[in-house]
Each structure stands twice: as structure tokens, then as C-alpha cells.
Amino acid sequence: NQITISKRNSTNGHSSGISNHLIGPSTASITGASRFGYALSNGTVGVYEKLNRVWRVKSKHSACAVMAMDFDGDGVAELISGWDNGRVEVRRANTGEVVSRDHLTSAVSGLLMADYRAEGRDQLVACGFEGEVRGYLPIDQAASQDLLRRQTPALTSGGAGGGGGGGGGGGAAGEGSTTAADLVELQQQLADLAQRKQELQYELMSYQSFKIAETSKQPSSTAAMVIPGDTRVDSCIAINRLTSSCDLILSTSNGTLIRGAVIFGEQIFPEESLLILSRVSGSSLLVSLQPLKDVSVVLMMKVLVGHKSYPNFHVFELEIELPKFAMYAHLDHSSLQSPEPKSSVTFQIRERLNRLNVWLEARFNVKVSKYAGINRSGNGANGVGGVGGDSNNGSNNNNNPDTLIQVLVPSNTQEGILECCFLSLRSKMPLIFQIRPLGAILQVTLLCDDIDLSGELLQDLCAFLGVEDLNSRAEFPQQMEAFKDVLAAVDEQSATRMKLGADMADWGNLVKVLMVKAEDKRVMGDMKALKRVYRKLYDLIRDLIVEHEKRHVNHAALLKALKEVNLMIQRCSRLRVGPSKTKMITAARTAVKENNMAALFKIFTEGCGPIVPGVSSVGGGMGLIGAG
């Protein structure tokens, strides 16, 4: 039940790739589940349960070894990791909580599990790179229960008891259940106390180094360098069209200076984190963000705040959510320089207009704050002072209420329509929402030339509003014209494949005939005729090899074209939700099998079913079509 996948470096023997362990199909407490512990070379360790991530932690050091073992005797395997700084950690598989921790004098080169004391049970063995070997005894469950009984005699003396001899039996039953429950609570308290002890030790070390540094300075200067107690760090995200990026703006509430920041964010930075040190310290700091994909990410920040001539600083911990479609700038339709998109998706939903407006504000960065005196910082600064303190007083302000932008405005060209325009900072492609209220129904038209982006917007909107079934009318003329070329390539490659297959069959029959002739000549002893037959057979086999190469190329081209067909079906299916999506995929594949291209394009455009569940047709030629 253990799998190790690692990439070794021959120079020092340390893991430079990924080390993985499977935690417990054999463990009784998690029967039926598969938990997979992993360690990455960038310092990340965590646990997955099937396809869902349970937890993960990240360190500035690299993990050298990882394994699964029931270390605390609770019947559930823990994730044990060894690090290049000599640290050995035992974490719970379900929460990531640290159960035990130790440090070797050198980097950990391996973790083993063996009965080195010949006691009939396995113990943990950690090996250091310089030859150090340490063994660890797991927590004895029976000994812990015995210790608990001695510490809590009142709980194990019996239950409340009933009348006569029944009271004794009740007391015995109460003893076992109470002891097990209190044992779990006691173990939790011990783990919490160990974690708190370590935090206090680190804090004490910081204060000691701070006191040593202050002894060489004047008392008056020390008091002057402490930041005010009401210092607050504000954060917001603003659109910068000049640099085509989202700017993360950090600012303090007083004259204190931001020395730098450490930012963690998945799929935002190449190494999932970024260190920014300000070249010119000021009360604000700007960080340009250019995410490559449209994902919603919570940015965790540690902001370093202090004074200009003081080496120490305070650390403020902040969090801010980067909207999923933050790389789209809101603008007026009149200021749109690019031509309007020719492609569109139209659908209808039974929802209030205010809910749609809330979705636009939540997924797009449409509330812009104005900040002055921003310092743009890079990565070229050298050196950071010691940590002078830790603070959690930072606030998280995404928007400035004084500069709100009205999202939906009446259209200048069409009466009775509200619209909202955006511009992609990556491709400079416009994106327009048009909403027409029809009583209790909203008819939404999304103008966008990117079919993938349209599908992502529609899926996110339906998930936000809780829509379970939605059909739409999709018109993408450019993609459909390109798809016609793909279908033509499929027909061409299919015809070539049939022709090549027929030729191969004929040549295969000819090979059989020549083999029979060769055998006859051999039996008759006619060697000259036998050589002539073998020469023809050799030439024929050589031609068959050439034809096989042609069939291989044809098969690869046909497979690529068929993948494009399936990809187009998947793209168009993302423009529908729920049963309408399933029906559309089934009908499209049926049309492809029957080679009914007219029905296929109609399915791509109108889907399968009414635009609104329970509504037959509302304007614009949107109606129900059959599965054929």
C-alpha cells in the first residue's frame, strides 16, 4: 500500500523531484478511501483523497523523503516528511496538524520503518546525510490509556450505577467509553500544547535577538522607531490598461513605510510565491499581476512594515481574493475602439436583474479605487532586516466605495436593453453583455468571439445563480467556418483510409498466391523459378512497407481531425447546462455517426430543448429542435 515516485540527484543523493506515498487502503479507519501524500521539490507537502486535496503546507526548505506510518497509535497513518535542513515532521493525514517534530544535524537522506528493537511492531527510523541515524518509538495506545486511568481515577471507578447488581455493569460500560473519549481529548490537548510551545520558543528567540540588537543603540532612538499601534495595511486590486495587468496595491494608514511583501498565490506566479522588496520605501507598494488563466485565487500576503532607518519591521498578514475575470477592464461602449464581436450566445434565465449585477461585480474587477503616490517595485533589492514583531491588525479592502462604477447601463443603440462592456487585457478582445428584461425572465446575450471564454462565463454564471438546466442559442460564424474545414479533412482522410485498406487487402492476397507458388517450385526442385518468385515476393513486401507508412500518416491525420471534432462538441456543450448539455452531446455524436452535417451545425447553434425550461419560444427564432 506504499508507492514511492522520486527523482534522485546523483551529486548529493537528495530528492529533487517528487516523492509520493499512498496513505492507507490497509488502514481500518479509512477503509474505502485512498489518501495520497505527496512532497514537491519546491517545499510543498500535502495529502489528496482521490482527486480532492485535503490539505497542504509549504516551506522554504525542500522535502527529501516522505512516508506513511501510524506514529501515534490511533489506527490512522500519519504523513512523515524529512527535509534538507534536518527537520523530521509527523503530520496528521486528515488535517495536516503537526503531531511530532525533531531536527537532525544534517539533511535527511531517508525515512525507514522497521522493528529494530525486536518488539513485534515497527518503529520510525530517520537517517541523516552525514551518517546520523535516529529511531523513534511510536506512542503506545495501551500505555496512554493506563496513564489516563491513573490521572483520572474518578472517571474509571464506575458509572452512576443502578439499583442492585445492575449498577456495577453500568459502571463498567461507562469506564471504557469515557476513557476512550478522554484519551482522544488528552491527545489533542498535548498536540495543541506542543504546537504552542514551539510558537513561543520562536517568539522568544525573536525577542532575544531584538534585545541584543537594541543594547547597542540609544534608548531614545528605539522608542522613536516603534510603529504606532493603530497602523493598518489596506489592499485593493486595480486595472492598469497601460501595462495590461492587474495591480495589487498595498498602503499603510499612516506614515509608516512598506519595506516589502511576500505574496502566495496558485497559478499566478511561476513558483506559487513572490518576494517584493521596495527599492524606494514608501507608504504604498504596487505589484503587477498578469495571471495566464481566468481563475479565482486567494492571495495570502505578509507585508513588512517599518521605518526607513530601522533594520527591524513588523509583519502584517493579509488575504485578498483576485476575481476570476480580473483581466477584463470595464469601459464604456462609446470608448470601444475595436469592432463589436460577430459571435454571440443568447439564453434566458428566471432571475432578478440585481442578482446578475452582483455576479458581474463579484467576478469582474468593476469597482476601481484611486491611489496616489504608488511606488512600483521590482525584485532587485538586496537584504531584509530582522523580524521585529508579528501583527494581525491588517485590514482587507477590495474596493473604495467613493469610486463605484455602475455596471449595467442603458444601451445607446438598442432600446430597452442594458449592457456592460469589457476589454480583455491579454488579447484586447471586447466582451459585451446585453440584458433585455422580459417580465420575470432575463434574456442575456453575450457578445464574444472566443467560444471557450463564452462557455466559461456561462458555466460560472449558472453555478453562481444555481441554474441546473439551461439551453442557449450560439452563433460563432468564424469557428463554424473553420470547423467545416475540419469536417472536410475528416471526409478526405476517411476516403483515403478506405482506399489504402482496399489496396492492402489486394496485395495481401497476392502475397498468399506467391507463397503458394514458391512452395510448389521448392517441392519440384525448380530453383531458378523459385528465385524469380522470391524476387517478386521481396518487391511486393517492400511496397507493402511503404503503403503501411502511408496508412500510418493517414491514421494520425484522421485521429487529429476526429479529436478536433470531439473538441468542438465539448466546446459547444459548455454553452449549455444540465440535461440540455447531455442531450446536445448525445445528439451531436449521433449526427456525426450518421454523417448528417446539416443537423450537426443546427445542434451546435440551437442545442436540444427550449431556451428556457418550460418556455416554448421567446423571440429571435429560439425554439426546440429534435435530437436528429
Side-chain angles (χ1 to χ4, degrees), residues 46 129 196 322 429 493:
F129 183 67
R196 181 58 179 165
L322 180 67
M429 179 182 63
Q493 298 297 336

Side-chain angles (χ1 to χ4, degrees), residues 249-252 258 278 280-286 370-376:
I249 303 174
L250 305 172
S251 60
T252 58
I258 297 181
S278 179
V280 181
S281 299
S283 60
S284 58
L285 180 66
L286 184 146
K370 296 180 180 179
Y371 282 79
I374 303 302
N375 289 332
R376 184 177 298 274

Side-chain angles (χ1 to χ4, degrees), residues 271-347:
E271 299 296 333
E272 297 187 0
S273 61
L274 178 67
L275 171 64
I276 295 291
L277 300 178
S278 179
R279 296 178 181 273
V280 181
S281 299
S283 60
S284 58
L285 180 66
L286 184 146
V287 182
S288 294
L289 305 177
Q290 292 181 328
L292 301 178
K293 298 180 180 180
D294 295 326
V295 291
S296 179
V297 179
V298 176
L299 301 177
M300 296 179 290
M301 300 166 287
K302 298 181 184 294
V303 186
L304 314 180
V305 180
H307 292 278
K308 184 176 182 180
S309 58
Y310 199 55
N312 297 332
F313 47 76
H314 289 258
V315 180
F316 289 81
E317 296 184 356
L318 305 174
E319 287 187 1
I320 186 172
E321 182 177 0
L322 180 67
K324 185 173 183 178
F325 303 102
M327 289 294 290
Y328 296 85
H330 180 271
L331 73 166
D332 297 332
H333 198 172
S334 57
S335 61
L336 188 63
Q337 299 179 356
S338 304
E340 287 192 4
K342 298 180 180 179
S343 305
S344 65
V345 179
T346 303
F347 56 92

Side-chain angles (χ1 to χ4, degrees), residues 156-200:
T156 61
S157 60
E175 176 184 351
S177 60
T178 305
T179 302
D182 289 343
L183 176 61
V184 174
E185 183 179 358
L186 180 60
Q187 289 178 345
Q188 182 65 32
Q189 292 177 357
L190 290 176
D192 294 342
L193 290 174
Q195 183 69 19
R196 181 58 179 165
K197 176 183 177 181
Q198 185 179 12
E199 294 176 356
L200 292 175

Side-chain angles (χ1 to χ4, degrees), residues 56 125 150 156 173 179 218 260 311 326 346 353 371 381 438 447 452 460 505 509 543 567 577 599 618 620:
R56 73 163 189 173
V125 180
R150 293 197 302 267
T156 61
T179 302
Q218 297 295 331
T346 303
L353 183 62
Y371 282 79
L438 301 174
L447 301 177
D452 294 325
D460 189 85
N509 293 330
D543 294 339
L567 181 60
V577 176
V618 182

